[in-house]
Amino acid sequence: MDSERTGDVSSTADVADLAFDVFARACPSRGTLEHVTGKWGGLILGALREGTFRFNELRRRVDGVSEKMLSQTLQALERDGLVHREAQPTNPPRVDYRLTPLGDAIAERLLALINLVEDRMPEVLTARERYDAARAESGAAAGRDAGRAALAGRGGR
Amino acid sequence: MDSERTGDVSSTADVADLAFDVFARACPSRGTLEHVTGKWGGLILGALREGTFRFNELRRRVDGVSEKMLSQTLQALERDGLVHREAQPTNPPRVDYRLTPLGDAIAERLLALINLVEDRMPEVLTARERYDAARAESGAAAGRDAGRAALAGRGGR
DNA sequence: CGGGATCCGGCTTGATACTG
DNA sequence: CAGTATCAAGCCGGATCCCG
């Protein structure tokens, strides 16, 4: 539960003038932002940008996501009003997910970011080589990786 | 911490069939994207967008970040070529951080996303209330035991 | 099919302490 | 000031079983 650990902003009164400063620790927008930019949030939003899908369709579309995380992320996005969930009490059950207008707007900007990063990847790769080379030269043979650089996930499936 | 994990799987062969697809787990852009959208990456890039800062200035600017995470994230961003680090061997030491042109371009799109989320937070908050209310209602009506409902979202990373 | 509940390992994070 | 080293916890996220 990502929820705000600090006291919630229950008083709706003057929330507006305080603006939602992401740089402040207790800002509620931090939470939503993390849902969106999180490990699966972006991929799910991206997938939903292309239409309406059922649970297992989504699962197939977003490679590597487990039932649990898909369900969990979908709930977080639904709660934030980015995703609309429509369940039909038929048999077998059928549940459709699609973006809300708000979700689509956010997904659009997120994809703009993703596309830029992809376009510029050659530069990033070059920078990485330079950095690693300089490091191997000056430092010992330790060669630790920078931060959580290689997060990738195991192969599999 | 010298967990020299076997490098990232960015062999060119793996990504060949999907080329530019973020949806593929082996895509190298995923790594950079996570540095950028990670818990602190976005805030640090946002802070640096307003100028050049020293380590502790940055720490004060980004509320809640620990020395370790700041250092770690900064290194990852430097390695990816988004941040430039300039150290002066003076006494006391002085190190300046600033965005590279690439980092600025990426930060710009990231901030566009962040600003959108901030602007729309009222909608998000409203959606949250509706969701929570509906949830509390159905749960109470069913008369089930009061578990710890909120399994909202992911957080972490 | 569409999830909920639980167990559990491992990565990520946060204090604290130490170096230059 | 600008980090690095070490340690302990906490939470994420995967696997599994189960229900409607």
Side-chain angles (χ1 to χ4, degrees), chain A residues 116-134 149-150, chain B residues 8-12 15 19 26-33 35 76-82 102 106:
Chain A
L116 178 63
V117 171
E118 287 181 334
D119 288 347
R120 303 282 216 125
M121 269 316 277
E123 293 173 59
V124 171
L125 261 19
T126 302
R128 291 234 265 240
E129 282 172 31
R130 271 218 320 270
Y131 183 91
D132 291 342
Chain B
D8 36 324
V9 247
S10 42
S11 70
T12 52
V15 290
C27 184
S29 61
R30 279 284 277 269
T32 299
L33 213 42
H35 297 157
L77 294 175
E78 187 197 351
R79 190 169 100 105
D80 284 350
L82 308 192
L102 175 57
I106 290 178

Side-chain angles (χ1 to χ4, degrees), chain A residues 70-85:
Chain A
L70 179 57
S71 172
Q72 222 168 285
T73 308
L74 242 15
Q75 279 178 43
L77 294 175
E78 187 197 353
R79 190 168 98 104
D80 285 351
L82 309 192
V83 164
H84 179 74
R85 176 181 186 274

Side-chain angles (χ1 to χ4, degrees), chain B residues 5 39-40 64 66-69 72 93 135 151 157:
Chain B
R5 67 183 59 260
K39 186 170 184 182
W40 302 112
S66 66
E67 290 181 13
K68 183 170 108 182
M69 292 318 297
Q72 219 168 288
R135 178 107 336 179
L151 17 56
R157 164 171 109 50

